[in-house]
Amino acid sequence: MQIFLPDEAATIALAQELAARARAGDVLLLCGPLGAGKTSFARAFIRALTGEPDLTVPSPTFTLVQQYEARGTTIWHYDLWRLQDHHALEELGWEEALDGIVIVEWPDRLGPLTPPRALRLSFSHEGTGRSAELAEDTP
């Protein structure tokens, strides 16, 4: 499914819609070039899940992972931009994270640790806005 996102408000609305359906065990893989909306989407998704619209949600580019509590589960937000490959994920709580709700920016770094079931959101620049292609990764 391809969705045109003409502005930031549309990205936030998509994140809120998907957050309303999110459950423990869900994995969202956010793909796309720099500035295409991955972090904006993740920030809005986390704020919607926690019910805190003003929550500070920093990009985990340098920390690699941030955790948040919501709906009786943990949200794990990974940004794997700085990783060369999947080997460091064990130290970042990857196995434990899969019991919660997981958001991964730059999921190509997951390699063989890519979950067999995930929602892949591929963001791209489109004119003055963005587009997001949603696809379910299944075995």
Side-chain angles (χ1 to χ4, degrees):
M1 168 191 298
Q2 187 87 15
I3 300 171
F4 178 65
L5 305 168
D7 53 27
E8 188 76 11
T11 301
I12 292 169
L14 174 62
Q16 290 171 337
E17 181 180 333
L18 293 178
R21 301 175 189 185
R23 303 290 175 261
D26 287 350
V27 177
L28 284 77
L29 306 175
L30 309 183
C31 307
L34 289 172
K38 297 179 300 293
T39 302
S40 294
F41 173 90
R43 187 173 286 126
F45 184 87
I46 292 164
R47 287 176 176 160
L49 277 172
T50 62
E52 296 182 47
D54 296 323
L55 179 68
T56 299
V57 181
S59 172
T61 300
F62 294 102
T63 59
L64 302 177
V65 64
Q66 294 283 345
Q67 298 174 14
Y68 307 87
E69 296 301 319
R71 297 187 193 169
T73 192
T74 303
I75 306 162
W76 298 71
H77 180 197
Y78 288 89
D79 184 329
L80 305 182
W81 170 252
R82 295 179 341 123
L83 289 187
Q84 295 295 332
D85 56 40
H86 65 280
H87 292 8
L89 284 171
E90 182 177 323
E91 296 173 22
L92 298 173
W94 182 250
E95 290 299 320
E96 180 185 354
L98 294 174
D99 292 331
I101 296 172
V102 180
I103 305 163
V104 181
E105 297 184 51
W106 305 100
D108 57 308
R109 307 311 203 269
L110 289 172
L113 297 180
T114 302
R117 299 189 78 81
L119 178 62
R120 182 174 299 271
L121 291 91
S122 299
F123 292 91
S124 61
H125 300 284
E126 188 171 318
T128 59
R130 307 174 171 138
S131 68
E133 182 177 342
L134 284 65
E136 188 173 345
D137 283 2
T138 57

PDB file of all heavy atoms in Angstrom, residues 55-83:
ATOM      1  N   LEU A  55       5.971  14.336  24.865  1.00  0.00           N
ATOM      2  CA  LEU A  55       7.104  13.532  25.317  1.00  0.00           C
ATOM      3  C   LEU A  55       8.343  13.833  24.474  1.00  0.00           C
ATOM      4  O   LEU A  55       8.266  13.897  23.243  1.00  0.00           O
ATOM      5  CB  LEU A  55       6.761  12.042  25.193  1.00  0.00           C
ATOM      6  CG  LEU A  55       7.840  11.046  25.601  1.00  0.00           C
ATOM      7  CD1 LEU A  55       8.084  11.105  27.103  1.00  0.00           C
ATOM      8  CD2 LEU A  55       7.428   9.633  25.194  1.00  0.00           C
ATOM      9  N   THR A  56       9.469  14.021  25.135  1.00  0.00           N
ATOM     10  CA  THR A  56      10.730  14.200  24.422  1.00  0.00           C
ATOM     11  C   THR A  56      11.158  12.837  23.894  1.00  0.00           C
ATOM     12  O   THR A  56      11.337  11.891  24.666  1.00  0.00           O
ATOM     13  CB  THR A  56      11.808  14.776  25.360  1.00  0.00           C
ATOM     14  OG1 THR A  56      11.357  16.049  25.831  1.00  0.00           O
ATOM     15  CG2 THR A  56      13.137  14.928  24.646  1.00  0.00           C
ATOM     16  N   VAL A  57      11.286  12.738  22.582  1.00  0.00           N
ATOM     17  CA  VAL A  57      11.668  11.481  21.928  1.00  0.00           C
ATOM     18  C   VAL A  57      12.890  11.777  21.056  1.00  0.00           C
ATOM     19  O   VAL A  57      12.761  12.101  19.882  1.00  0.00           O
ATOM     20  CB  VAL A  57      10.516  10.900  21.076  1.00  0.00           C
ATOM     21  CG1 VAL A  57      10.938   9.590  20.428  1.00  0.00           C
ATOM     22  CG2 VAL A  57       9.262  10.706  21.923  1.00  0.00           C
ATOM     23  N   PRO A  58      14.080  11.678  21.655  1.00  0.00           N
ATOM     24  CA  PRO A  58      15.284  11.963  20.864  1.00  0.00           C
ATOM     25  C   PRO A  58      15.570  10.834  19.875  1.00  0.00           C
ATOM     26  O   PRO A  58      15.187   9.686  20.096  1.00  0.00           O
ATOM     27  CB  PRO A  58      16.386  12.037  21.927  1.00  0.00           C
ATOM     28  CG  PRO A  58      15.890  11.172  23.041  1.00  0.00           C
ATOM     29  CD  PRO A  58      14.383  11.305  23.027  1.00  0.00           C
ATOM     30  N   SER A  59      16.220  11.192  18.803  1.00  0.00           N
ATOM     31  CA  SER A  59      16.658  10.164  17.860  1.00  0.00           C
ATOM     32  C   SER A  59      17.749   9.331  18.536  1.00  0.00           C
ATOM     33  O   SER A  59      18.671   9.879  19.127  1.00  0.00           O
ATOM     34  CB  SER A  59      17.233  10.802  16.598  1.00  0.00           C
ATOM     35  OG  SER A  59      17.824   9.815  15.787  1.00  0.00           O
ATOM     36  N   PRO A  60      17.659   8.013  18.456  1.00  0.00           N
ATOM     37  CA  PRO A  60      18.698   7.182  19.074  1.00  0.00           C
ATOM     38  C   PRO A  60      19.923   6.978  18.181  1.00  0.00           C
ATOM     39  O   PRO A  60      20.597   5.961  18.260  1.00  0.00           O
ATOM     40  CB  PRO A  60      17.962   5.867  19.345  1.00  0.00           C
ATOM     41  CG  PRO A  60      16.893   5.804  18.321  1.00  0.00           C
ATOM     42  CD  PRO A  60      16.501   7.229  18.028  1.00  0.00           C
ATOM     43  N   THR A  61      20.227   7.943  17.329  1.00  0.00           N
ATOM     44  CA  THR A  61      21.367   7.807  16.425  1.00  0.00           C
ATOM     45  C   THR A  61      22.659   7.528  17.185  1.00  0.00           C
ATOM     46  O   THR A  61      23.453   6.698  16.765  1.00  0.00           O
ATOM     47  CB  THR A  61      21.530   9.079  15.566  1.00  0.00           C
ATOM     48  OG1 THR A  61      20.338   9.255  14.807  1.00  0.00           O
ATOM     49  CG2 THR A  61      22.710   8.962  14.617  1.00  0.00           C
ATOM     50  N   PHE A  62      22.869   8.190  18.309  1.00  0.00           N
ATOM     51  CA  PHE A  62      24.117   8.004  19.054  1.00  0.00           C
ATOM     52  C   PHE A  62      23.998   6.980  20.163  1.00  0.00           C
ATOM     53  O   PHE A  62      24.949   6.267  20.463  1.00  0.00           O
ATOM     54  CB  PHE A  62      24.626   9.347  19.575  1.00  0.00           C
ATOM     55  CG  PHE A  62      25.029  10.257  18.453  1.00  0.00           C
ATOM     56  CD1 PHE A  62      24.198  11.289  18.056  1.00  0.00           C
ATOM     57  CD2 PHE A  62      26.202  10.045  17.747  1.00  0.00           C
ATOM     58  CE1 PHE A  62      24.538  12.108  16.984  1.00  0.00           C
ATOM     59  CE2 PHE A  62      26.553  10.847  16.677  1.00  0.00           C
ATOM     60  CZ  PHE A  62      25.715  11.887  16.296  1.00  0.00           C
ATOM     61  N   THR A  63      22.828   6.870  20.783  1.00  0.00           N
ATOM     62  CA  THR A  63      22.639   5.882  21.846  1.00  0.00           C
ATOM     63  C   THR A  63      22.292   4.510  21.264  1.00  0.00           C
ATOM     64  O   THR A  63      22.362   3.514  21.953  1.00  0.00           O
ATOM     65  CB  THR A  63      21.506   6.305  22.791  1.00  0.00           C
ATOM     66  OG1 THR A  63      20.297   6.453  22.041  1.00  0.00           O
ATOM     67  CG2 THR A  63      21.841   7.600  23.508  1.00  0.00           C
ATOM     68  N   LEU A  64      21.875   4.458  20.015  1.00  0.00           N
ATOM     69  CA  LEU A  64      21.480   3.271  19.254  1.00  0.00           C
ATOM     70  C   LEU A  64      20.105   2.733  19.631  1.00  0.00           C
ATOM     71  O   LEU A  64      19.425   2.162  18.791  1.00  0.00           O
ATOM     72  CB  LEU A  64      22.525   2.152  19.336  1.00  0.00           C
ATOM     73  CG  LEU A  64      23.924   2.525  18.856  1.00  0.00           C
ATOM     74  CD1 LEU A  64      24.879   1.362  19.060  1.00  0.00           C
ATOM     75  CD2 LEU A  64      23.913   2.955  17.403  1.00  0.00           C
ATOM     76  N   VAL A  65      19.700   2.890  20.895  1.00  0.00           N
ATOM     77  CA  VAL A  65      18.370   2.415  21.293  1.00  0.00           C
ATOM     78  C   VAL A  65      17.838   3.284  22.437  1.00  0.00           C
ATOM     79  O   VAL A  65      18.602   3.733  23.288  1.00  0.00           O
ATOM     80  CB  VAL A  65      18.398   0.915  21.699  1.00  0.00           C
ATOM     81  CG1 VAL A  65      19.256   0.669  22.926  1.00  0.00           C
ATOM     82  CG2 VAL A  65      16.989   0.380  21.909  1.00  0.00           C
ATOM     83  N   GLN A  66      16.548   3.538  22.398  1.00  0.00           N
ATOM     84  CA  GLN A  66      15.836   4.227  23.476  1.00  0.00           C
ATOM     85  C   GLN A  66      14.652   3.347  23.855  1.00  0.00           C
ATOM     86  O   GLN A  66      14.087   2.670  22.991  1.00  0.00           O
ATOM     87  CB  GLN A  66      15.306   5.593  23.018  1.00  0.00           C
ATOM     88  CG  GLN A  66      16.364   6.608  22.675  1.00  0.00           C
ATOM     89  CD  GLN A  66      17.006   7.221  23.911  1.00  0.00           C
ATOM     90  OE1 GLN A  66      16.505   7.122  25.027  1.00  0.00           O
ATOM     91  NE2 GLN A  66      18.149   7.849  23.715  1.00  0.00           N
ATOM     92  N   GLN A  67      14.279   3.363  25.118  1.00  0.00           N
ATOM     93  CA  GLN A  67      13.139   2.574  25.594  1.00  0.00           C
ATOM     94  C   GLN A  67      12.097   3.486  26.224  1.00  0.00           C
ATOM     95  O   GLN A  67      12.438   4.479  26.866  1.00  0.00           O
ATOM     96  CB  GLN A  67      13.598   1.556  26.639  1.00  0.00           C
ATOM     97  CG  GLN A  67      14.572   0.547  26.133  1.00  0.00           C
ATOM     98  CD  GLN A  67      15.072  -0.331  27.261  1.00  0.00           C
ATOM     99  OE1 GLN A  67      14.517  -0.366  28.357  1.00  0.00           O
ATOM    100  NE2 GLN A  67      16.142  -1.058  27.002  1.00  0.00           N
ATOM    101  N   TYR A  68      10.837   3.082  26.052  1.00  0.00           N
ATOM    102  CA  TYR A  68       9.703   3.809  26.602  1.00  0.00           C
ATOM    103  C   TYR A  68       8.691   2.789  27.106  1.00  0.00           C
ATOM    104  O   TYR A  68       8.570   1.708  26.530  1.00  0.00           O
ATOM    105  CB  TYR A  68       9.030   4.690  25.527  1.00  0.00           C
ATOM    106  CG  TYR A  68      10.007   5.604  24.835  1.00  0.00           C
ATOM    107  CD1 TYR A  68      10.715   5.171  23.717  1.00  0.00           C
ATOM    108  CD2 TYR A  68      10.243   6.885  25.317  1.00  0.00           C
ATOM    109  CE1 TYR A  68      11.637   5.995  23.092  1.00  0.00           C
ATOM    110  CE2 TYR A  68      11.156   7.723  24.699  1.00  0.00           C
ATOM    111  CZ  TYR A  68      11.852   7.270  23.578  1.00  0.00           C
ATOM    112  OH  TYR A  68      12.756   8.089  22.967  1.00  0.00           O
ATOM    113  N   GLU A  69       7.965   3.128  28.146  1.00  0.00           N
ATOM    114  CA  GLU A  69       6.927   2.249  28.678  1.00  0.00           C
ATOM    115  C   GLU A  69       5.561   2.752  28.225  1.00  0.00           C
ATOM    116  O   GLU A  69       5.286   3.943  28.290  1.00  0.00           O
ATOM    117  CB  GLU A  69       6.985   2.204  30.205  1.00  0.00           C
ATOM    118  CG  GLU A  69       8.269   1.609  30.752  1.00  0.00           C
ATOM    119  CD  GLU A  69       8.522   0.181  30.301  1.00  0.00           C
ATOM    120  OE1 GLU A  69       7.562  -0.621  30.265  1.00  0.00           O
ATOM    121  OE2 GLU A  69       9.685  -0.137  29.980  1.00  0.00           O
ATOM    122  N   ALA A  70       4.730   1.824  27.765  1.00  0.00           N
ATOM    123  CA  ALA A  70       3.377   2.190  27.329  1.00  0.00           C
ATOM    124  C   ALA A  70       2.525   0.933  27.235  1.00  0.00           C
ATOM    125  O   ALA A  70       2.989  -0.118  26.790  1.00  0.00           O
ATOM    126  CB  ALA A  70       3.406   2.871  25.967  1.00  0.00           C
ATOM    127  N   ARG A  71       1.286   1.056  27.666  1.00  0.00           N
ATOM    128  CA  ARG A  71       0.311  -0.035  27.543  1.00  0.00           C
ATOM    129  C   ARG A  71       0.807  -1.349  28.133  1.00  0.00           C
ATOM    130  O   ARG A  71       0.564  -2.426  27.583  1.00  0.00           O
ATOM    131  CB  ARG A  71      -0.068  -0.260  26.084  1.00  0.00           C
ATOM    132  CG  ARG A  71      -0.749   0.896  25.415  1.00  0.00           C
ATOM    133  CD  ARG A  71      -1.206   0.466  24.062  1.00  0.00           C
ATOM    134  NE  ARG A  71      -1.605   1.589  23.249  1.00  0.00           N
ATOM    135  CZ  ARG A  71      -1.845   1.505  21.976  1.00  0.00           C
ATOM    136  NH1 ARG A  71      -1.737   0.348  21.344  1.00  0.00           N
ATOM    137  NH2 ARG A  71      -2.216   2.556  21.298  1.00  0.00           N
ATOM    138  N   GLY A  72       1.549  -1.281  29.202  1.00  0.00           N
ATOM    139  CA  GLY A  72       2.021  -2.492  29.859  1.00  0.00           C
ATOM    140  C   GLY A  72       3.137  -3.206  29.128  1.00  0.00           C
ATOM    141  O   GLY A  72       3.436  -4.359  29.421  1.00  0.00           O
ATOM    142  N   THR A  73       3.777  -2.545  28.183  1.00  0.00           N
ATOM    143  CA  THR A  73       4.892  -3.159  27.460  1.00  0.00           C
ATOM    144  C   THR A  73       5.978  -2.109  27.247  1.00  0.00           C
ATOM    145  O   THR A  73       5.797  -0.927  27.547  1.00  0.00           O
ATOM    146  CB  THR A  73       4.432  -3.761  26.113  1.00  0.00           C
ATOM    147  OG1 THR A  73       5.474  -4.577  25.587  1.00  0.00           O
ATOM    148  CG2 THR A  73       4.044  -2.688  25.111  1.00  0.00           C
ATOM    149  N   THR A  74       7.097  -2.538  26.737  1.00  0.00           N
ATOM    150  CA  THR A  74       8.207  -1.637  26.451  1.00  0.00           C
ATOM    151  C   THR A  74       8.271  -1.391  24.948  1.00  0.00           C
ATOM    152  O   THR A  74       8.148  -2.325  24.165  1.00  0.00           O
ATOM    153  CB  THR A  74       9.545  -2.225  26.944  1.00  0.00           C
ATOM    154  OG1 THR A  74       9.433  -2.490  28.349  1.00  0.00           O
ATOM    155  CG2 THR A  74      10.699  -1.271  26.712  1.00  0.00           C
ATOM    156  N   ILE A  75       8.472  -0.136  24.583  1.00  0.00           N
ATOM    157  CA  ILE A  75       8.721   0.236  23.193  1.00  0.00           C
ATOM    158  C   ILE A  75      10.233   0.391  23.068  1.00  0.00           C
ATOM    159  O   ILE A  75      10.855   1.102  23.854  1.00  0.00           O
ATOM    160  CB  ILE A  75       8.052   1.577  22.834  1.00  0.00           C
ATOM    161  CG1 ILE A  75       6.568   1.551  23.158  1.00  0.00           C
ATOM    162  CG2 ILE A  75       8.298   1.934  21.374  1.00  0.00           C
ATOM    163  CD1 ILE A  75       5.943   2.935  23.239  1.00  0.00           C
ATOM    164  N   TRP A  76      10.798  -0.277  22.092  1.00  0.00           N
ATOM    165  CA  TRP A  76      12.237  -0.211  21.825  1.00  0.00           C
ATOM    166  C   TRP A  76      12.426   0.508  20.496  1.00  0.00           C
ATOM    167  O   TRP A  76      11.945   0.028  19.472  1.00  0.00           O
ATOM    168  CB  TRP A  76      12.833  -1.609  21.745  1.00  0.00           C
ATOM    169  CG  TRP A  76      12.725  -2.407  22.996  1.00  0.00           C
ATOM    170  CD1 TRP A  76      11.601  -2.954  23.531  1.00  0.00           C
ATOM    171  CD2 TRP A  76      13.786  -2.751  23.868  1.00  0.00           C
ATOM    172  NE1 TRP A  76      11.904  -3.614  24.690  1.00  0.00           N
ATOM    173  CE2 TRP A  76      13.238  -3.517  24.915  1.00  0.00           C
ATOM    174  CE3 TRP A  76      15.160  -2.497  23.864  1.00  0.00           C
ATOM    175  CZ2 TRP A  76      14.020  -4.023  25.949  1.00  0.00           C
ATOM    176  CZ3 TRP A  76      15.932  -3.002  24.886  1.00  0.00           C
ATOM    177  CH2 TRP A  76      15.361  -3.762  25.928  1.00  0.00           C
ATOM    178  N   HIS A  77      13.105   1.648  20.511  1.00  0.00           N
ATOM    179  CA  HIS A  77      13.351   2.419  19.295  1.00  0.00           C
ATOM    180  C   HIS A  77      14.839   2.336  18.959  1.00  0.00           C
ATOM    181  O   HIS A  77      15.667   2.904  19.670  1.00  0.00           O
ATOM    182  CB  HIS A  77      12.910   3.866  19.506  1.00  0.00           C
ATOM    183  CG  HIS A  77      13.122   4.752  18.322  1.00  0.00           C
ATOM    184  ND1 HIS A  77      13.108   6.119  18.429  1.00  0.00           N
ATOM    185  CD2 HIS A  77      13.334   4.490  17.020  1.00  0.00           C
ATOM    186  CE1 HIS A  77      13.308   6.649  17.241  1.00  0.00           C
ATOM    187  NE2 HIS A  77      13.460   5.682  16.368  1.00  0.00           N
ATOM    188  N   TYR A  78      15.145   1.618  17.896  1.00  0.00           N
ATOM    189  CA  TYR A  78      16.529   1.433  17.455  1.00  0.00           C
ATOM    190  C   TYR A  78      16.817   2.315  16.246  1.00  0.00           C
ATOM    191  O   TYR A  78      15.987   2.444  15.350  1.00  0.00           O
ATOM    192  CB  TYR A  78      16.772  -0.020  17.022  1.00  0.00           C
ATOM    193  CG  TYR A  78      16.827  -1.016  18.135  1.00  0.00           C
ATOM    194  CD1 TYR A  78      15.674  -1.648  18.591  1.00  0.00           C
ATOM    195  CD2 TYR A  78      18.039  -1.349  18.732  1.00  0.00           C
ATOM    196  CE1 TYR A  78      15.726  -2.581  19.611  1.00  0.00           C
ATOM    197  CE2 TYR A  78      18.096  -2.284  19.757  1.00  0.00           C
ATOM    198  CZ  TYR A  78      16.940  -2.892  20.185  1.00  0.00           C
ATOM    199  OH  TYR A  78      16.992  -3.822  21.200  1.00  0.00           O
ATOM    200  N   ASP A  79      18.004   2.884  16.220  1.00  0.00           N
ATOM    201  CA  ASP A  79      18.526   3.547  15.023  1.00  0.00           C
ATOM    202  C   ASP A  79      19.870   2.895  14.750  1.00  0.00           C
ATOM    203  O   ASP A  79      20.831   3.096  15.490  1.00  0.00           O
ATOM    204  CB  ASP A  79      18.685   5.050  15.251  1.00  0.00           C
ATOM    205  CG  ASP A  79      19.135   5.777  13.995  1.00  0.00           C
ATOM    206  OD1 ASP A  79      19.855   5.193  13.162  1.00  0.00           O
ATOM    207  OD2 ASP A  79      18.773   6.955  13.847  1.00  0.00           O
ATOM    208  N   LEU A  80      19.927   2.100  13.701  1.00  0.00           N
ATOM    209  CA  LEU A  80      21.113   1.282  13.435  1.00  0.00           C
ATOM    210  C   LEU A  80      22.062   1.921  12.422  1.00  0.00           C
ATOM    211  O   LEU A  80      22.969   1.255  11.920  1.00  0.00           O
ATOM    212  CB  LEU A  80      20.669  -0.109  12.966  1.00  0.00           C
ATOM    213  CG  LEU A  80      19.716  -0.838  13.917  1.00  0.00           C
ATOM    214  CD1 LEU A  80      19.382  -2.222  13.384  1.00  0.00           C
ATOM    215  CD2 LEU A  80      20.283  -0.921  15.326  1.00  0.00           C
ATOM    216  N   TRP A  81      21.856   3.195  12.130  1.00  0.00           N
ATOM    217  CA  TRP A  81      22.668   3.902  11.141  1.00  0.00           C
ATOM    218  C   TRP A  81      24.164   3.720  11.380  1.00  0.00           C
ATOM    219  O   TRP A  81      24.928   3.510  10.446  1.00  0.00           O
ATOM    220  CB  TRP A  81      22.298   5.395  11.169  1.00  0.00           C
ATOM    221  CG  TRP A  81      23.204   6.284  10.387  1.00  0.00           C
ATOM    222  CD1 TRP A  81      24.105   7.170  10.886  1.00  0.00           C
ATOM    223  CD2 TRP A  81      23.293   6.386   8.967  1.00  0.00           C
ATOM    224  NE1 TRP A  81      24.749   7.821   9.874  1.00  0.00           N
ATOM    225  CE2 TRP A  81      24.270   7.352   8.670  1.00  0.00           C
ATOM    226  CE3 TRP A  81      22.661   5.749   7.917  1.00  0.00           C
ATOM    227  CZ2 TRP A  81      24.619   7.700   7.377  1.00  0.00           C
ATOM    228  CZ3 TRP A  81      23.005   6.101   6.625  1.00  0.00           C
ATOM    229  CH2 TRP A  81      23.971   7.067   6.370  1.00  0.00           C
ATOM    230  N   ARG A  82      24.602   3.772  12.626  1.00  0.00           N
ATOM    231  CA  ARG A  82      26.032   3.723  12.934  1.00  0.00           C
ATOM    232  C   ARG A  82      26.584   2.300  13.049  1.00  0.00           C
ATOM    233  O   ARG A  82      27.784   2.126  13.219  1.00  0.00           O
ATOM    234  CB  ARG A  82      26.316   4.485  14.230  1.00  0.00           C
ATOM    235  CG  ARG A  82      26.031   5.959  14.090  1.00  0.00           C
ATOM    236  CD  ARG A  82      26.265   6.786  15.346  1.00  0.00           C
ATOM    237  NE  ARG A  82      26.317   6.060  16.579  1.00  0.00           N
ATOM    238  CZ  ARG A  82      27.349   6.087  17.428  1.00  0.00           C
ATOM    239  NH1 ARG A  82      28.398   6.822  17.175  1.00  0.00           N
ATOM    240  NH2 ARG A  82      27.303   5.402  18.538  1.00  0.00           N
ATOM    241  N   LEU A  83      25.728   1.293  12.972  1.00  0.00           N
ATOM    242  CA  LEU A  83      26.207  -0.096  13.077  1.00  0.00           C
ATOM    243  C   LEU A  83      26.698  -0.594  11.721  1.00  0.00           C
ATOM    244  O   LEU A  83      26.100  -0.309  10.697  1.00  0.00           O
ATOM    245  CB  LEU A  83      25.095  -1.029  13.551  1.00  0.00           C
ATOM    246  CG  LEU A  83      24.628  -0.918  14.987  1.00  0.00           C
ATOM    247  CD1 LEU A  83      23.655  -2.051  15.295  1.00  0.00           C
ATOM    248  CD2 LEU A  83      25.786  -0.958  15.964  1.00  0.00           C
TER     249      LEU A  83
END
